[in-house]
Amino acid sequence: MHHSLEIITLHKPQSLTQTKTETETMAKSPETEHPNKVFGWGARDKSGVLSPFHFSRRDNGENDVTVKILFCGVCHTDLHTIKNDWGYTYYPVVPGHEIVGIATKVGKNVTKFKEGDRVGVGVITGSCQSCESCDQDLENYCPQMSFTYNAIGSDGTKNYGGYSENIVVDQRFVLRFPENLPSDSGAPLLCAGITVYSPMKYYGMTEAGKHLGVAGLGGLGHVAVKIGKAFGLKVTVISSSSKKEEEAINHLGADSFLVTTDPQKMKAAIGTMDYIIDTISAVHALYPLLGLLKVNGKLIALGLPEKPLELPMFPLVLGRKMVGGSDVGGLKETQEMLDFCAKHNITADIELIKMDEINSAMERLAKSDVRYRFVIDVANSLSPP
Amino acid sequence: MEKVHQKEAFGLAAKDNSGVLSPFRFTRRETGEKDVRFKVLFCGICHSDLHMVKNEWGMSTYPLVPGHEIVGVVTEVGAKVTKFKTGEKVGVGCLVSSCGSCDSCTEGMENYCPKSIQTYGFKYYDDTITYGGYSDHMVCDEGFIIRIPDNLPLDAAAPLLCAGITVYSPMKYHGLDKPGMHIGVVGLGGLGHVGVKFAKAMGTKVTVISTSERKRDEAINRLGADAFLVSRDPKQIKDAMGTMDGIIDTVSATHSLLPLLGLLKHKGKLVMVGAPEKPLELPVMPLIFERKMVMGSMIGGIKETQEMIDMAGKHNITADIELISADYVNTAMERLEKADVRYRFVIDVANTLKPNPNL
């Protein structure tokens, strides 16, 4: 953990280092900080147990959209955050960054949305809006970028996420939800979808006919299979056990399934893949995955293991291979991704849960016991006591 | 003496994994219709030669005649050879053949062909093992012969055939050759010093990254680097964080990637050309949160090797060498192991390699 704390310190979002502002706002309680009382579920310590939590949100400003939340996906990041796995959780925390809802108020400068629109809010709700990254619509790489939860927003107060009744967001960070995308199974696309789509575009992994390997079949992985197939790629799921094989092929549409613990099959697959999306969040061996790549192949790491991975040099050097990473995406490409998924009828495979089932859902998520994303039916099950 | 082919040859070979080189007589094939035969004048000593004579990579077969930075003068060409003629100054690098038809070969990247044959220690089509440039002459398919520009001194040009192409290829492939870019070069040895020279010739700003202060003066005043930073000094690293478009890492020992990744700008590229034997720790966060990349590269294709050496001719780029006689080679290997050379040994083959009359 010590090593990863070092890494976090180098890379944690800028907004969390504004300790002066934090001290100021500490004087007010979450309930009184802002004018509008809100109800949600939050975690108060690293036990990660979520329970009813009263807080408040700002008035709807001239650039803001207020969203009544219908559904919120449960991302693995939510679990890492409530348990403080990465060492930078500021409790109390209200997670949730795969939010779909209805716009109930729009500020006078808001042009893109009107009341009654179905909208989405993803991982990012703030950025400087004037740096090189922001100008390129890559708010995810803005040094002043703030996350939807567990971050200090542009107004200097702590952001609370989508496990709550509503959220107030600057219009730049609100997404139009395409008509034919269902709100519940479309919600996870706001994080899982863009996390996979963005690097596939950036690293040129969308050439029809090429061969994509998807390592790990969870929230990210199952969406990667669907998006990969939509790009016309041949898709092989790479997994440590064969139990998801039938699912992967018959239900998700993967072309083949490779079990990493089968030496013969692994050997036969050497040098056959143009790209690999590696979604595995536990520490794992890169060597066998790198071997699966063709010359010039690219492996994109999306999972965030607690410790560094071991990178063998010979496969990289001998085959001119590359290891890269990616973190969600900018807002423009998130919209592009939603429209792409709507066009290809891509949604997540979800298990809809009630708000008060969240703690057992988190326990199951920790064991990867979900096919493949929990989504909270917020509007129908979040009721203040 | 090994007598598989028609033409007698002599050189220096390692006979076992002690790595000690001694006189060795062997044979080479007749000049085939597509072959170029040349008398070896000079041969550079690459760090790979040291790894191979000691079988550190577990793939050496003995007797092993190393040498893949070879320059000389053409003595004979086969009937179908069109690109070279007798008397021309030519060289051979790390490859002597490839399949010619796979994707890599078709792209001119024979170095990534799965059937590529290296200049020494590899099985050739006639089931013999290839022998390298620590020898009196070479015979090689014209497709793998490089013309050496007239204005380049042959001894100092020889190391470019491996060290030069090894840094040139990834700089071009990864777009790290644009004027005004800021390139870091880690390690100042055979690869590193040539890396600095090519990067400067490409118009980039160059910072040398080293573990000790002692090469600073060299790097800046003699090699022309713009800046020098000591990787063990946290302040120097911190001041340079997020400033480099790309880094060419030539270090073959185990080392930490985290500070190097920190030196890169967003979307920066860390290119590994040194090949540490053990895996290195890869912190994933810089890749994920800053879209940085780690990639590898190995020598280059034949066409781009010619391109590289033509660029060297145009910009007068040569390696900094210590010319040695053939009988100094074992001492040179010992010094190379301790990185005690500025920056490549080159064997004066034609003048000092004599056949052993006792063999």
Side-chain angles (χ1 to χ4, degrees), chain A residues 66-177:
Chain A
T66 298
V67 181
K68 172 181 154 66
I69 298 176
L70 298 175
F71 297 98
C72 186
V74 179
C75 177
H76 209 121
T77 297
D78 300 350
L79 177 55
H80 285 303
T81 306
I82 57 181
K83 297 220 160 198
N84 198 16
D85 284 348
W86 295 329
Y88 66 86
T89 303
Y90 288 87
Y91 296 101
V93 62
V94 174
H97 58 208
E98 297 179 340
I99 305 164
V100 180
I102 305 288
T104 53
K105 283 201 196 91
V106 299
K108 67 179 178 49
N109 292 342
V110 172
T111 50
K112 300 195 293 178
F113 305 99
K114 54 187 197 304
E115 279 173 36
D117 279 353
R118 204 160 55 108
V119 295
V121 175
V123 180
I124 297 171
T125 50
S127 75
C128 81
Q129 306 199 34
S130 61
C131 68
E132 205 185 308
S133 290
C134 286
D135 285 343
Q136 291 173 8
D137 296 310
L138 292 170
E139 297 87 348
N140 48 327
Y141 295 110
C142 166
Q144 307 294 326
M145 172 273 291
S146 48
F147 291 132
T148 302
Y149 67 84
N150 192 42
I152 306 291
S154 338
D155 64 1
T157 64
K158 188 177 4 178
N159 288 344
Y160 293 108
Y163 294 15
S164 62
E165 307 174 72
N166 62 53
I167 190 167
V168 181
V169 182
D170 182 302
Q171 66 165 330
R172 181 177 178 139
F173 304 93
V174 178
L175 297 141
R176 182 183 28 83
F177 220 70

Side-chain angles (χ1 to χ4, degrees), chain A residues 11 198 202 309 311 323 326, chain B residues 267 280 282 288 290-291 294:
Chain A
H11 297 286
S198 180
Y202 182 70
L309 299 179
L311 180 65
V323 178
S326 190
Chain B
K267 303 186 226 165
L280 300 184
L282 176 71
I288 287 180
E290 293 166 314
R291 214 169 242 178
V294 182

Side-chain angles (χ1 to χ4, degrees), chain B residues 180-195:
Chain B
M181 280 188 157
H182 183 184
I183 304 298
V185 177
V186 189
L188 204 60
L191 287 178
H193 90 287
V194 166

Side-chain angles (χ1 to χ4, degrees), chain B residues 17 22 169:
Chain B
N17 68 4
S22 56
S169 181

Side-chain angles (χ1 to χ4, degrees), chain A residues 7 11 136 141 198 202-203 295 301 303-304 308-311 313 316-318 320-323 325-327, chain B residues 109 112 173 241 266-267 272 275-276 279-282 285-291 293-298:
Chain A
I7 298 166
H11 297 286
Q136 291 173 8
Y141 295 110
S198 180
Y202 182 70
Y203 292 106
V295 169
L304 280 164
L309 299 179
E310 274 193 355
L311 180 65
M313 286 301 142
L316 286 196
V317 169
L318 293 175
R320 197 158 65 172
K321 298 176 185 177
M322 183 202 94
V323 178
S326 190
D327 176 36
Chain B
M109 298 308 287
Y112 297 116
Y173 183 65
M241 292 274 276
H266 275 211
K267 303 186 226 165
M272 312 297 293
L280 300 184
E281 267 192 6
L282 176 71
M285 300 228 176
L287 306 189
I288 287 180
F289 290 121
E290 293 166 314
R291 214 169 242 178
M293 294 169 246
V294 182
M295 42 265 279
S297 190
M298 179 183 69

Side-chain angles (χ1 to χ4, degrees), chain A residues 128-316:
Chain A
C128 81
Q129 306 199 34
S130 61
C131 68
E132 205 185 308
S133 290
C134 286
D135 285 343
Q136 291 173 8
D137 296 310
L138 292 170
E139 297 87 348
N140 48 327
Y141 295 110
C142 166
Q144 307 294 326
M145 172 273 291
S146 48
F147 291 132
T148 302
Y149 67 84
N150 192 42
I152 306 291
S154 338
D155 64 1
T157 64
K158 188 177 4 178
N159 288 344
Y160 293 108
Y163 294 15
S164 62
E165 307 174 72
N166 62 53
I167 190 167
V168 181
V169 182
D170 182 302
Q171 66 165 330
R172 181 177 178 139
F173 304 93
V174 178
L175 297 141
R176 182 183 28 83
F177 220 70
E179 245 183 65
N180 64 311
L181 265 191
S183 301
D184 53 357
S185 54
L189 297 174
L190 291 161
C191 179
I194 186 59
T195 298
V196 163
Y197 183 89
S198 180
M200 288 184 73
K201 298 283 288 193
Y202 182 70
Y203 292 106
M205 298 160 78
T206 58
E207 210 182 309
K210 298 275 188 189
H211 187 181
L212 169 72
V214 177
L217 201 61
L220 288 179
H222 91 289
V223 169
V225 173
K226 297 185 186 197
I227 290 182
K229 290 306 300 170
F231 277 122
L233 305 172
K234 171 180 167 186
V235 178
T236 296
V237 170
I238 306 159
S239 177
S240 54
S241 93
S242 59
K243 63 182 166 82
K244 295 181 184 177
E245 178 159 5
E246 201 260 329
E247 261 284 302
I249 302 208
N250 297 331
H251 176 69
L252 294 172
D255 298 279
S256 59
F257 192 94
L258 181 59
V259 181
T260 51
T261 47
D262 181 337
Q264 267 188 334
K265 296 239 167 82
M266 284 295 280
K267 191 160 177 241
I270 284 176
T272 58
M273 298 180 192
D274 296 280
Y275 337 108
I276 292 177
I277 297 253
D278 180 0
T279 74
I280 303 170
S281 59
V283 169
H284 59 287
L286 287 179
Y287 181 74
L289 296 178
L290 290 170
L292 297 173
L293 289 170
K294 294 177 184 172
V295 169
N296 301 328
K298 302 173 186 174
L299 183 144
I300 306 305
L302 299 178
L304 280 164
E306 279 168 34
K307 295 195 179 58
L309 299 179
E310 274 193 355
L311 180 65
M313 286 301 142
F314 274 77
L316 286 196

